[in-house]
Amino acid sequence: MLDKIKDFASWFFVTGDPMILGAQVSIALAMVAIVFVLSYFKKWVWLWREWLTTVDHKRIGIMYILCSILMLFRGGVDALLMRLQLALPGASFLEPEHYNQIFTTHGVIMILFMAMPLMFGLFNVVVPLQIGARDVAYPFLNSLSFWMFFWGAMLFNVSFVIGGSPDAGWLAYPPLSELSHSPGVGQNFYIWGIQISGIGSLATGINFIVTILKMRAPGMKLMQMPMFTWSVLSSCIMIIFAFPILTVTMALLFLDRFFGAHFFTLDMGGNPMMYINLIWMWGHPEVYIVVVPAFGIFSEVVATFAKKKLFGYSSMVFAMLIISVMSFFTWVHHFFTMGSGADVNVFFAITTMAIAIPTGVKVFNWLFTLFRGRVSYPTPMLWTVAFIPCFVIGGMTGVLLSVAPADFQFHNSYFLIAHFHQVLIGGVVFGYFAGLYYWWPKMFGFSLNEHLGKWAFWLWNIGFYVCFMPQYFLGLDGMTRRTYTYDFDMGWGPLNLVSTVGGFLMGIGFIFQVWQIAYSIKHHKRDVTGDAWNGRTLEWSIPSPAPMYNFATLPQVHAVDDWWETKQKLAQGAKPEPTAPLEPIHMPKNSAIPFIKSTLWFFAGFGFVWGWLWLAIPAMIGVLLCMLARSFSYDTDYYIPVDEIKQTEAALRGLKV
């Protein structure tokens, strides 16, 4: 019996690497600590009622953001391990197989499990407040979306210590991702982790499109919506067309691996290039899915801290919508070297260059908004200003890559790596940091410490340029991506060492951000105004943090930046508009079904990973039973009485009851 247990553990758990063993011990200790704290303070019921079963969009948004920060730590550690391996010629800090696993998990985690949840977190926290809604269109589906993302991410991450991580690259090109080259379970974790979380992402896209189109406050026309809400709508349009492609692609790869199909193998008439086309038909819109909401954040921040109306509102809206369409016509620039012919390459080179035009429109609109504005520079504005030169450089190098003959030289080099990170860190990460700092007072009722925030800002920015600028030159000097090691005579050592130093500076910047959050929680000063930045949009018209029903009475909207216009009229002596009398507010009840259903999806995915039908089939039956239970759930909502609304408003605003 003992021998059987040892044999099982030898292939079930990842063994032999001291770093992974350390991670296993750390995970076990962290789980024990969490259980101890929850038990000692008797918080299990609180956790279940207030968070695990919540359908409140604001709490769901906070959980998304918390998961994103944890994934940023995990993906950042992967990045630093890679930079340590490449810091010096001939280094053997990592084994080749471990290095392949790390760069695979780094890419997947940073795009799908860090950027996406941070984006969805801000969607949830901000959009209903900006459009004057009391919740999203489908609160139950919103909760299910989060938990599907969460358990998909957990399924992918558990491969680090159980079974072994995938090592075929973050986009899993065949034949590396087929059984012939990846016979272990790592690639199965990849398929099912992405598949489960992708269902949640698609549901979120549908939910927010309906929310924005159908639940705006009375009087708010489409061309009066805040720019962040427009960016969310544009992003969600891309999501509902792009993510089904990813779902089908992962399903076909699953059929290849599990049932001996040959969609992406050269045997039996398959074609690996079909996979590469499909994955980039999702992959390039995905880049714009995560960056367009950052454009909306910058628009809000610039207008607020320049104390001016956003320049070129209509052109900004059309630029975002044009990007959401054109993003589906650029994917082939990722493989100009495929051999499709000059005509195909020319078409996609032109579309890639053309999509830079609406992006440039936005940059000029922000600059004109700042022109002659009364600009102040708190932390959200610093991240916004830092974004502009960073993204311009990334955009210019992107145009260079769009030139097909030149791309034959740049392709798969570190020049591409530098460009990719310049756009995604300088655009996406800087943007979401700006949004996180900007809306933090609305989420929690206090601002983050500015002094520590500026330390984090400068460490991140200096570290970014020190890390990635050398990589352009490394690429031009012939260093290819996925390089594990190199000889001294290649001449790449000094630039790689500088790049590694920059990576660690960014890591120190992240530590300052964690310190900033912890310090601000302990020493915060409560925002009693609800309008921490003298904002322009509706979310700043209600208390911070927002009550569970958001608005005691739904606002009547008359113009773009309606809250700013209202404040200006009141400052000029106008009488406030009479508010409607309070009425009972209809709200959804919490539900345990999303958490239970998504947990069952996790066990089903785990069963499929290992080929354990005895686990996968009962779990899928449980999923169907959860759907059936939801179909026969009738007690799903309630009304908040007027007296409770008055008491809540009195506590938050200091009003007389």
Side-chain angles (χ1 to χ4, degrees), residues 49-65:
R49 289 181 177 176
E50 300 296 326
W51 294 96
L52 300 185
T53 62
T54 186
V55 296
D56 184 348
H57 67 95
K58 299 177 290 297
R59 293 193 172 189
I60 290 172
I62 290 169
M63 289 192 291
Y64 267 122
I65 291 168

Side-chain angles (χ1 to χ4, degrees), residues 69-124:
I69 293 172
L70 292 174
M71 291 297 101
L72 177 59
F73 171 75
R74 163 73 204 278
V77 169
D78 283 347
L80 294 180
L81 292 174
M82 286 189 287
R83 289 312 319 160
L84 282 173
Q85 170 62 26
L86 295 172
L88 298 172
S92 56
F93 175 68
L94 296 173
E95 296 296 326
E97 182 181 5
H98 194 186
Y99 182 84
N100 290 344
Q101 293 174 348
I102 284 176
F103 80 67
T104 298
T105 56
H106 169 74
V108 176
I109 286 170
M110 287 303 206
I111 295 293
L112 290 172
F113 302 137
M114 189 283 288
M116 291 291 285
L118 188 49
M119 177 181 80
F120 288 149
L122 293 174
F123 284 13
N124 272 279

Side-chain angles (χ1 to χ4, degrees), residues 146-163:
F146 168 74
W147 289 113
M148 290 293 283
F149 150 76
F150 175 84
W151 285 116
M154 290 302 102
L155 183 62
F156 180 86
N157 276 274
V158 78
S159 66
F160 182 51
V161 293
I162 296 176

